[in-house]
Amino acid sequence: MLGYTLKRLLTLIPTLLVASILIFLFVHLIPGDPASILLGDSATPEEIASLSAHMGLDRPLWQQYLVWFKNVLHGDFGQSIFFKTPVLEVIADGAETSICLALMTMFWIVLIGIPVGIVSASFHGSWVDQITSGGAMLLASIPTFWLGLYLILIFSVGLGWFPSSGFPSISDEGGLSNLRYLILPSLTLAAPNAALIVRLVRASMLDVSREDHVRTARAKGLHPARVSIKHVFRNALIAVAAAFGFTFAALVSEAVVTETVFSLPGIGRLVVQSILRRDYPVIQGVILLIVLLYLVINLLVDLAYARLDPRVSLQ
Amino acid sequence: MTLRTTIAAVFRGRKLAALGAVWLCIITVAAIGAQFIAPFDPLEIDPIARLSEPGLPYLFGTDHFGRDTFSRAVYGARMALIIGIGSVLVALICGGLIGLLSAYFSTLGHFLMRIIDVLMAFPALLLALVLMTLLERSVINTVIVIGIVYATTTARIFFGMTLKLKNEVFIDAARCSGAGHGSILFRHILPNLWSPLLVQASFIFAFAQLQAAALDFLGLGLPPEVASWGNMLAEEKIYITRAPWLLMFPGALIILSVFSMNLVGDAMRDSIDPRFKNDIAGI
Amino acid sequence: MALLEINNLSIAVASQGQLLPVVTDCSFSVAAHETLGVVGESGCGKSLTALAIMGLLEGSQVNITSGSIVFDGRDLLQLRPAQRRAIMGNQMAMVFQEPMTSLNPVYRIGEQITEVLQQHRKITHRESRQRALELLDLVKIPHPQDRIDSYPHQLSGGQRQRVMIAIAMACEPALLIADEPTTALDVTVQKEVLDLMLDLQTRTGTSIILISHDLGVIAETCDEVAVMYRGRIIEKATTASLFANMAHPYTRGLLASIPTIDTDNDWLQAIPGRVPGIDEKVNGCPFHPRCAHTETPCTQTAPRLIDTHPHHAVRCHFAGEI
Ligand SMILES: Nc1ncnc2c1ncn2[C@@H]1O[C@H](COP(=O)(O)OP(=O)(O)OP(=O)(O)O)[C@@H](O)[C@H]1O
Ligand SMILES: [Mg+2]
């Protein structure tokens, strides 16, 4: 297990290397010169040139890449052009919001998505199934930002139950009760993803329920609910876990939109704003970290997979 | 099997999916005949009727410039169709070719699939955002970017399906009877993948609508003057408290269209070769 | 009184808005401590009959359309689901045709055996594990102590079928339904598994319904035999009478198809043609298109089951004549 993990970690290196080159290239192909953006409209060409030289922007692209990558390996992602502070600090500032949002979202997804999926599959073909699985598909067809805007309209502006935007740190005044700022955002973000989980749990459970061993379980005289959970769902979980990597990628995409709708000081909004501000170092840093996170999560998924399915052995 | 019996088999006992198909037909008609259906020019401004409520003559009301929401929505259908069909074509042609060739020529495949794997580590919207910033905001660029984003998944799916077919007996038979690579790929393997391809296309069509709307919302999608459902939402979002109905119409149109496409895709998925069912990336 | 009595059982499959009959008007009974053999070609409805008796058709496309299944004096079809479940796995158990896939891949076999014990007996965890070890020993799995914590994929097909038998026998059922328990196994293992079941039967006095398409196996093991063709019982007799007065041309064909050392007769040679699909309608005797003795009445009216000897009934217009 440990050996396998180490080996998998080693195979991450080439992937990350390719990813870093792609990110660097993408970002540097973006039109617009950071030096002139930084100095504003009133700057003279000489000022721009000297700042470019200072930032190393006049060197060949591959040299810039090597310098950047070497620094990244030392944990230095460079300076944000906009904030004038280290990129890692800028990212760390957004991390709390994004992590809290992600955890709350996962909470809804697991709390709602999995039970509804089980119910839907257990009553396959009945009106319960049609409503839950059809409803899930409808939910997944709603643009995230549209849902967010109407949740704000109804629950913040209309009923005044929840704040409509922002997120003060939970270490600030208010403590954990500040999490109420994240209730609407996390529900918005959870909606399409929980819907995906409902569909996934349902489809995998239907696949499993056609397997022979489920008939054996029923022949034992077990209660149908017990057959559903202990036998069908437990096997379906293997396929659900395998798809979790994709769920994560979908979650990140939607988080970018959600954080923008609710003006949350998180990493998702940081990406969008950095792109609009042409803040190269921040874009590169954030995307590289997200890719790394994606790879690590997939590794964890594989480890979990092996735990869930005794037929899989890690080597 | 004729087209008619196939369609009947797909929609038998699935009333909702059939309704979805009807809705998609309506959208198509609206898209083609937009200039005959829309009562106003989508760009025509009526300064005294800004943010007016649904009624007459403005069926769905007007936006903050005083443009007719209904006419813009009708032209939006045209945009939705262009975005959907365009990105499906880009995704299927690029992704399909990469997947097909990678599975068939294993050395090349090894290299290409590694790249695809790396690209799949980028969340779809982030990839689209970065690519959009490289390019001008235009309809064609939006189509290309969304198509490329879904080409990665498509390539993976085709890779898997082609691998399954590659070792089938009938492929060996074709090879033994002297068929060349091109003939095996396009005359023997590809025809077996048409129906999963069609199912995948319907899901990509649906995802592309949501993706395009999100790009519009973030200000990095279609040019602002284009009448698309996403742009209508993006431009009017700050007026939601003053005119709550304004975002209702374009939003409902997106939801209905995406939902319909998902329903149709789901119905079709149940009638394809069960071996490929789990390869499809859909809802 | 018989332990199990099936009266006029009919089963149909719902397909595209139609009900296609797959089992028609089946009646037979199983006495306590006895073995009934059910034979017939693939697809003739043996498994569906067995699943109907067990109560495993619920929730599928397949439905019982008429008839009754009386077990131990109670009509199973009239019971509430909870009452039915109290019998399943307890007084009545089943071993399936597919040993490779009939065990849940994610649980250890010990867990899968104790599960049925804990469902039907008031028993502690430790006692049920002890009982599981005994059962594994009973079904002749070597080193039960080590094997009890194996996962199904670590066992061979024969061992898995033994585990299935252990699960079925765990609560000492009055009736064991064995649906082609050996078809999927190696020839060498087939005999061992059959012998094991017969051995368990002598110890516990269980009645067995043994489904097979091998008349040879049936001849060796059963007290009574029912021969099925296209969902109907076409001959029913005690084993001795069946082999002495074999009357139906189909049964004779089956007998001729038992492979022997010197002749390599096989299935296809013995009975020409194929079983018509369930959606094809055949007028008259369902067997007449493949029968060598077809005459006019065969193509017009379906024969009824008639007694030709004591304890011997045949569904053929010319029973006793040919
Ligand atoms: N779930 C189902 N849906 C539709 N048709 C079914 C279903 N199960 C069985 N059938 C049909 O019912 C008929 C009888 O099937 P059954 O499984 O009882 O045959 P069998 O006698 O056990 O055959 P075998 O020797 O192959 O096990 C077959 O023609 C089969 O195609
Ligand atoms: Mg069978």
Side-chain angles (χ1 to χ4, degrees):
Chain A
M1 173 100 169
L2 191 68
Y4 173 81
T5 314
L6 288 177
K7 215 151 91 191
R8 275 292 304 270
L9 282 173
L10 281 180
T11 65
L12 290 190
I13 293 175
T15 313
L16 268 179
L17 211 64
V18 177
S20 70
I21 294 176
L22 284 179
I23 293 168
F24 188 83
L25 276 179
F26 282 155
V27 171
H28 279 259
L29 287 173
I30 297 178
D33 170 20
S36 51
I37 292 171
L38 200 57
L39 291 170
D41 294 337
S42 57
T44 62
E46 290 76 39
E47 282 174 323
I48 295 176
S50 97
L51 185 66
S52 287
H54 178 72
M55 291 164 68
L57 296 173
D58 55 346
R59 286 197 257 171
L61 211 54
W62 63 271
Q63 279 188 15
Q64 291 187 43
Y65 170 75
L66 285 183
V67 171
W68 174 67
F69 195 68
K70 201 185 92 206
N71 290 338
V72 164
L73 288 183
H74 290 101
D76 173 12
F77 285 73
Q79 289 264 326
S80 160
I81 297 176
F82 181 80
F83 295 102
K84 317 260 189 317
T85 49
V87 168
L88 227 40
E89 263 174 42
V90 176
I91 295 176
D93 283 343
E96 183 196 334
T97 307
S98 292
I99 291 173
C100 289
L101 179 63
L103 289 179
M104 271 175 87
T105 305
M106 286 314 290
F107 176 76
W108 298 125
I109 292 178
V110 173
L111 191 81
I112 300 169
I114 290 183
V116 173
I118 294 178
V119 168
S120 186
S122 304
F123 295 95
H124 178 222
S126 72
W127 61 270
V128 179
D129 175 37
Q130 290 183 350
I131 288 181
T132 47
S133 74
M137 192 187 267
L138 181 62
L139 210 55
S141 308
I142 301 179
T144 323
F145 63 89
W146 187 87
L147 182 65
L149 287 172
Y150 274 98
L151 286 182
I152 293 176
L153 183 70
I154 297 170
F155 293 102
S156 307
V157 180
L159 299 168
W161 289 357
F162 305 105
S164 67
S165 66
F167 174 57
S169 163
I170 46 176
S171 53
D172 287 356
E173 194 183 333
L176 280 179
S177 74
N178 286 343
L179 286 178
R180 73 182 186 282
Y181 281 84
L182 293 183
I183 290 184
L184 291 183
S186 61
L187 282 174
T188 306
L189 186 51
N193 291 292
L196 285 178
I197 291 289
V198 169
R199 301 280 302 175
L200 190 60
V201 167
R202 174 179 180 273
S204 332
M205 280 184 69
L206 289 183
D207 279 348
V208 174
S209 65
R210 280 187 279 270
E211 285 173 16
D212 291 332
H213 63 81
V214 176
R215 191 182 51 194
T216 308
R218 290 171 55 218
K220 287 175 179 173
L222 306 181
H223 192 276
R226 199 177 161 82
V227 175
S228 270
I229 309 263
K230 184 173 169 188
H231 291 273
V232 181
F233 177 66
R234 175 61 181 75
N235 276 278
L237 205 52
I238 298 171
V240 175
F244 193 80
F246 291 102
T247 312
F248 171 77
L251 203 66
V252 173
S253 288
E254 316 270 14
V256 169
V257 176
T258 309
E259 289 183 5
T260 307
V261 173
F262 289 90
S263 311
L264 300 181
I267 295 174
R269 195 166 69 126
L270 179 66
V271 175
V272 178
Q273 293 187 328
S274 304
I275 287 178
L276 294 174
R277 289 174 193 140
R278 306 275 186 268
D279 196 344
Y280 288 179
V282 177
I283 309 176
Q284 286 168 348
V286 175
I287 299 187
L288 193 62
L289 282 181
I290 288 177
V291 169
L292 179 67
L293 195 60
Y294 173 85
L295 295 174
V296 170
I297 284 188
N298 270 301
L299 172 61
L300 292 178
V301 164
D302 283 356
L303 295 178
Y305 190 81
R307 291 221 68 130
L308 285 172
D309 189 349
R311 287 164 296 186
V312 174
S313 65
L314 299 177
Q315 57 244 336
Chain B
M1 216 163 32
T2 67
L3 187 66
R4 227 176 110 180
T5 52
T6 316
I7 292 176
V10 167
F11 293 111
R12 174 170 292 125
R14 286 177 233 271
K15 290 199 196 76
L16 211 51
L19 279 179
V22 170
W23 173 254
L24 293 173
C25 292
I26 296 177
I27 292 292
T28 314
V29 170
I32 295 170
Q35 58 266 57
F36 307 112
I37 296 169
F40 296 92
D41 183 322
L43 299 176
E44 184 187 306
I45 291 172
D46 180 353
I48 32 177
R50 296 173 60 215
L51 298 180
S52 60
E53 291 189 24
L56 282 173
Y58 303 116
L59 279 179
F60 289 181
T62 55
D63 65 9
H64 74 284
F65 288 118
R67 295 178 297 194
D68 178 36
T69 307
F70 180 73
S71 303
R72 291 178 69 72
V74 172
Y75 277 89
R78 181 175 283 183
M79 236 348 105
L81 222 59
I82 293 176
I83 295 280
I85 294 176
S87 21
V88 163
L89 285 181
V90 174
L92 288 189
I93 293 174
C94 300
L97 271 183
I98 293 176
L100 214 59
L101 295 178
S102 301
Y104 195 74
F105 303 106
S106 40
T107 341
L108 171 83
H110 200 74
F111 174 73
L112 280 180
M113 281 336 257
R114 278 319 287 260
I115 303 278
I116 293 289
D117 281 345
V118 173
L119 282 176
M120 283 181 75
F122 292 83
L125 186 63
L126 274 191
L127 191 58
L129 277 180
V130 175
L131 290 177
M132 272 320 284
T133 43
L134 299 184
L135 305 163
E136 290 273 289
R137 284 178 73 175
S138 76
V139 178
I140 185 85
N141 285 344
T142 310
V143 165
I144 292 175
V145 164
I146 295 177
I148 289 178
V149 167
Y150 288 109
T152 56
T153 355
T154 312
R156 259 258 154 255
I157 291 164
F158 269 74
F159 181 72
M161 294 194 299
T162 312
L163 274 190
K164 280 182 198 166
L165 284 180
K166 192 181 156 190
N167 299 320
E168 295 267 309
V169 183
F170 74 97
I171 298 297
D172 288 337
R175 195 170 290 134
C176 290
S177 60
H181 291 316
S183 156
I184 291 181
L185 270 174
F186 295 103
R187 304 235 331 255
H188 295 278
I189 293 184
L190 195 58
N192 280 287
L193 298 178
W194 278 131
S195 40
L197 193 136
L198 203 63
V199 179
Q200 190 59 50
S202 61
F203 287 120
I204 294 178
F205 187 104
F207 292 141
Q209 302 301 323
L210 292 178
Q211 206 68 247
L215 284 177
D216 288 348
F217 175 76
L218 295 174
L220 282 163
L222 299 168
E225 70 277 6
V226 171
S228 75
W229 297 335
N231 270 345
M232 292 170 71
L233 292 175
E235 282 174 14
E236 306 305 317
K237 65 184 177 228
I238 43 174
Y239 300 99
I240 186 173
T241 44
R242 274 172 62 194
W245 63 85
L246 245 183
L247 273 62
M248 235 29 207
F249 296 109
L253 288 171
I254 296 180
I255 296 170
L256 274 179
S257 307
V258 174
F259 186 45
S260 301
M261 211 62 206
N262 278 332
L263 283 170
V264 171
D266 188 50
M268 291 200 296
R269 176 171 47 192
D270 284 347
S271 56
I272 59 169
D273 187 337
R275 275 184 305 172
F276 299 139
K277 213 172 257 180
N278 289 331
D279 289 314
I280 306 290
I283 161 96
Chain C
M1 197 191 68
L3 174 70
L4 176 78
E5 227 173 277
I6 313 283
N7 301 309
N8 311 96
L9 182 71
S10 294
I11 302 172
V13 175
S15 158
Q16 307 193 340
Q18 273 181 294
L19 274 183
L20 301 173
V22 278
V23 173
T24 313
D25 204 18
C26 264
S27 302
F28 58 83
S29 61
V30 185
H33 316 301
E34 292 220 321
T35 303
L36 168 78
V38 179
V39 260
E41 277 169 294
S42 192
C44 69
K46 305 180 300 284
S47 296
L48 290 185
T49 309
L51 293 173
I53 299 171
M54 263 314 272
L56 291 172
L57 290 183
E58 255 89 285
S60 69
Q61 298 289 85
V62 191
N63 293 300
I64 297 174
T65 47
S66 65
S68 65
I69 301 172
V70 182
F71 177 73
D72 211 9
R74 291 196 289 177
D75 184 353
L76 297 184
L77 301 181
Q78 307 301 325
L79 295 184
R80 282 183 282 113
Q83 294 172 313
R84 193 82 198 260
R85 288 199 300 272
I87 296 176
M88 289 159 81
N90 191 11
Q91 279 114 286
M92 190 193 275
M94 183 158 172
V95 175
F96 299 96
Q97 206 168 340
E98 304 87 3
M100 300 308 285
T101 50
S102 287
L103 291 166
N104 191 328
V106 304
Y107 293 113
R108 298 173 198 277
I109 60 167
E111 159 80 34
Q112 302 193 46
I113 300 174
T114 52
E115 184 177 32
V116 65
L117 287 166
Q118 278 163 350
Q119 178 69 25
H120 296 291
R121 301 272 181 274
K122 287 201 162 49
I123 193 171
T124 65
H125 182 73
R126 179 193 288 265
E127 285 165 346
S128 64
R129 188 173 165 91
Q130 190 53 44
R131 173 87 178 118
L133 282 171
E134 285 168 28
L135 282 162
L136 287 177
D137 192 44
L138 206 62
V139 296
K140 305 201 175 66
I141 297 255
H143 313 296
Q145 284 288 2
D146 308 329
R147 277 307 180 193
I148 191 166
D149 289 322
S150 300
Y151 287 101
H153 72 273
Q154 295 163 327
L155 305 182
S156 71
Q159 284 174 322
R160 288 188 216 184
Q161 197 61 304
R162 286 166 198 270
V163 172
M164 283 300 297
I165 294 174
I167 293 173
M169 296 305 289
C171 295
E172 301 188 327
L175 175 68
L176 174 70
I177 304 173
D179 185 0
E180 308 194 34
T182 58
T183 308
L185 301 178
D186 275 353
V187 190
T188 47
V189 188
Q190 287 187 356
K191 178 123 180 60
E192 288 172 26
V193 170
L194 267 182
D195 286 346
L196 168 68
M197 291 201 332
L198 296 179
D199 178 40
L200 289 176
Q201 181 180 30
T202 41
R203 288 197 209 196
T204 57
T206 300
S207 300
I208 295 183
I209 297 179
L210 179 65
I211 296 174
S212 175
H213 47 227
D214 184 347
L215 259 184
V217 167
I218 299 280
E220 277 174 48
T221 50
C222 299
D223 304 299
E224 287 193 56
V225 189
V227 184
M228 285 180 78
Y229 182 76
R230 278 204 93 200
R232 285 185 182 76
I233 292 186
I234 51 110
E235 188 157 10
K236 189 167 70 172
T238 58
T239 310
S241 174
L242 184 87
F243 284 90
N245 314 307
M246 197 165 280
H248 201 288
Y250 177 68
T251 319
R252 294 197 202 161
L254 279 184
L255 184 67
S257 67
I258 297 175
T260 47
I261 314 243
D262 36 81
T263 63
D264 57 5
N265 258 336
D266 70 39
W267 216 240
L268 296 166
Q269 277 177 296
I271 308 174
R274 55 173 188 95
V275 191
I278 50 171
D279 47 352
E280 294 169 49
K281 202 165 161 50
V282 179
N283 285 325
C285 172
F287 187 59
H288 87 256
R290 301 172 70 192
C291 185
H293 310 281
T294 306
E295 290 184 32
T296 324
C298 304
T299 60
Q300 286 165 352
T301 45
R304 287 176 309 134
L305 206 56
I306 340 164
D307 289 318
T308 54
H309 297 84
H311 308 292
H312 195 141
V314 184
R315 195 189 287 273
C316 177
H317 289 301
F318 303 100
E321 293 170 33
I322 44 178

